[in-house]
Amino acid sequence: MTTPSPGDAPDDRSAHLTGHEHAAPMRPGPTGPLKGVRVVDLTRAVSGPFCTMILGDLGADVVKVEPPAGDLPRFAGPFTKDDTGRHYGGLFASINRNKRGIVLDLGAPAGRERLLRLVDSADVLVENYRSGVMERWGLQYEALHARNPRLVYAAIRGFGDPRTGTSPYVDWPAYDIVAQAMGGLVSMTGPAGHEGVRTGPTIGDLYPATLAAIGILSALHHARATGQGQMVDVAMVDSIVSLCETAVYRYSYTGVVSAPTGNSHPQLVPFDIFPTKDGQCAIAAPTDNHWKVLCETIGRPDLVADERTRTNGDRVANAVLVHHAVAGWTLERTTAEITAELGGRVPLGPVNDAADLFTDPHVRARDMLVAVEQPDGARPVVFPNCPIRFTATPSGVYRRPPVLGEHTREVLAALDEDGPAPG
């Protein structure tokens, strides 16, 4: 559960930028390449809903199935001041767009029967319950596969599903911070010389969700070619282990355990966040060509041929010297001035916060912020748009998140029209 923190307080700079006028409008309907694919979404919290959101952004018909009490984060904040209905807060809304919502009590026989009817016409089912929960309901993979052999069944769990590899922690619950810690990410993140820290975005949820979406699409391709569905199993901890590939190969090659390095890179210099007169900016110039351009721009052409800084290896060995030379130049200039001088010539970018994203010209040109409608007449709210783009089948946001049970009657009526279940 996410609760408001001091970081959630409004920023004076962005008070006038939270409206929809600074974002792209929603699309009129689904146009993505997955249009026509039916996804039954039994997920909750963050990792599962983010996965099914990706599929919905790509055009799939995602039917989100919630218990009568609703998904865990549905009623968590934040809420806009004019949202009097409070059908869902920002946490829920940010990862549940492009879905139809129904309510089923899977603890009751009638609810399970209706779910089975829904599975009959589905291409994909996604769940992120702890291992054994679906079995207790009689809704495990084997039962659903027997009923619908072409069904792709995907599970996202902290430590995976025993069907693809037994873990000693299979019954343990997990959250983002657990995955980040056990997968190795915390140990190599944070200021140099300090203990590791959790990354800001919930990578322990979002990265396995993204991998699950890739796995689902791969299995869907196989099912359409052969008529045979299968289980897709993604463990949160496994995903973070794969994300920490640099730490793994570095230890395997050298025996060195990666530790927090701050914003710098242990093998590339300069490759860092530098202070500016009014903020920070990222500068990366590890190649000889970019290093030469950077040296000439900051008035230090002598460093190009200097034995201490001539090659990237030399600069790694003398990283403090390089950082001091570059930072001495950046501190005397604003981020905008640095961008004007180096932009397009050396890899560079300002350190944007949330308010900056609303005015960044790249974000605006790419329509990476989208205004999403809310129920009950509350003002639209802004979320990141789908970053996966297509020339023929555009992805995007076309449906606001559902009110609890909003589409139950619609979905169940369609099942009745399809006739009795097979068998």
Side-chain angles (χ1 to χ4, degrees):
M1 182 74 72
T2 297
T3 55
S5 67
D8 295 323
D11 187 325
D12 290 340
R13 292 171 301 142
S14 60
H16 66 292
L17 294 175
T18 54
H20 64 282
E21 65 274 11
H22 296 276
M26 293 170 59
R27 302 188 68 82
T31 54
L34 294 186
K35 186 176 181 180
V37 172
R38 169 70 62 82
V39 178
V40 177
D41 179 6
L42 299 183
T43 66
R44 56 201 182 127
V46 177
S47 62
F50 190 84
C51 170
T52 53
M53 180 203 74
I54 294 173
L55 302 178
D57 286 356
L58 299 181
D61 174 21
V62 179
V63 178
K64 183 177 178 68
V65 180
E66 295 182 71
D71 189 2
L72 179 67
R74 173 178 277 277
F75 303 110
F79 298 93
T80 62
K81 292 181 179 179
D82 59 345
D83 182 4
T84 57
R86 300 211 164 187
H87 296 289
Y88 46 75
L91 173 59
F92 179 89
S94 69
I95 52 177
N96 283 289
R97 78 260 188 124
N98 288 345
K99 302 177 185 181
R100 295 191 289 166
I102 71 172
V103 167
L104 292 179
D105 182 2
L106 299 183
R112 293 193 293 272
E113 180 57 34
R114 284 173 174 163
L115 179 69
L116 291 173
R117 294 284 307 283
L118 195 57
V119 166
D120 291 337
S121 61
D123 300 289
V124 177
L125 181 140
V126 189
E127 54 99 347
N128 62 335
Y129 287 103
R130 286 173 62 181
S131 180
V133 172
M134 295 291 282
E135 282 78 1
R136 290 200 297 270
W137 286 331
L139 300 173
Q140 66 270 28
Y141 163 69
E142 290 79 9
L144 301 188
H145 178 71
R147 187 175 181 109
N148 180 354
R150 62 185 177 81
L151 181 72
V152 172
Y153 182 115
I156 304 172
R157 315 195 201 287
F159 301 93
D161 188 277
R163 294 172 179 85
T164 67
T166 302
S167 166
Y169 313 121
V170 66
D171 295 322
W172 288 18
Y175 281 106
D176 158 71
I177 193 169
V178 174
Q180 289 199 34
M182 294 187 71
L185 187 57
V186 170
S187 72
M188 57 187 300
T189 305
H194 290 71
E195 293 182 349
V197 299
R198 168 187 172 276
T199 62
T202 57
I203 299 298
D205 285 317
L206 305 187
Y207 189 59
T210 305
L211 293 183
I214 295 172
I216 288 167
L217 297 181
S218 301
L220 189 60
H221 175 75
H222 175 80
R224 290 193 164 178
T226 66
Q228 288 298 307
Q230 60 184 304
M231 185 173 195
V232 178
D233 172 31
V234 176
M236 295 165 65
V237 172
D238 294 358
S239 301
I240 300 304
V241 170
S242 74
L243 189 64
C244 295
E245 46 85 28
T246 54
V248 172
Y249 80 67
R250 192 174 294 135
Y251 180 74
S252 177
Y253 273 70
T254 68
V256 173
V257 175
S258 296
T261 57
N263 295 314
S264 62
H265 195 288
Q267 296 166 272
L268 302 173
V269 174
F271 197 99
D272 213 329
I273 303 296
F274 293 90
T276 70
K277 206 171 187 180
D278 59 351
Q280 294 176 294
C281 69
I283 298 177
T287 66
D288 292 343
N289 179 57
H290 288 143
W291 174 240
K292 181 175 184 293
V293 173
L294 179 62
C295 289
E296 292 172 347
T297 303
I298 68 175
R300 293 296 307 273
D302 57 296
L303 294 178
V304 176
D306 192 310
E307 292 184 356
R308 297 170 298 172
T309 56
R310 185 169 56 85
T311 69
N312 179 68
D314 297 330
R315 294 191 291 276
V316 169
N318 294 281
V320 174
L321 169 65
V322 173
H323 190 278
H324 180 75
V326 178
W329 181 79
T330 61
L331 271 171
E332 296 178 351
R333 290 159 178 81
T334 66
T335 303
E337 290 170 340
I338 294 169
T339 301
E341 291 195 56
L342 289 178
R345 303 170 63 224
V346 171
L348 164 141
V351 174
N352 287 335
D353 61 19
D356 296 325
L357 294 178
F358 279 77
T359 57
D360 185 280
H362 167 82
V363 174
R364 188 69 177 270
R366 295 281 293 177
D367 287 337
M368 268 310 300
L369 297 180
V370 59
V372 178
E373 299 169 358
Q374 291 202 85
D376 297 340
R379 69 165 172 80
V381 288
V382 178
F383 299 109
N385 208 342
C386 180
I388 307 171
R389 305 298 172 88
F390 304 89
T391 56
T393 55
S395 61
V397 182
Y398 64 89
R399 189 195 298 272
R400 63 163 173 77
V403 171
L404 181 61
E406 181 173 353
H407 304 98
T408 301
R409 182 175 299 178
E410 171 188 313
V411 173
L412 296 185
L415 293 179
D416 293 338
E417 291 174 1
D418 291 339

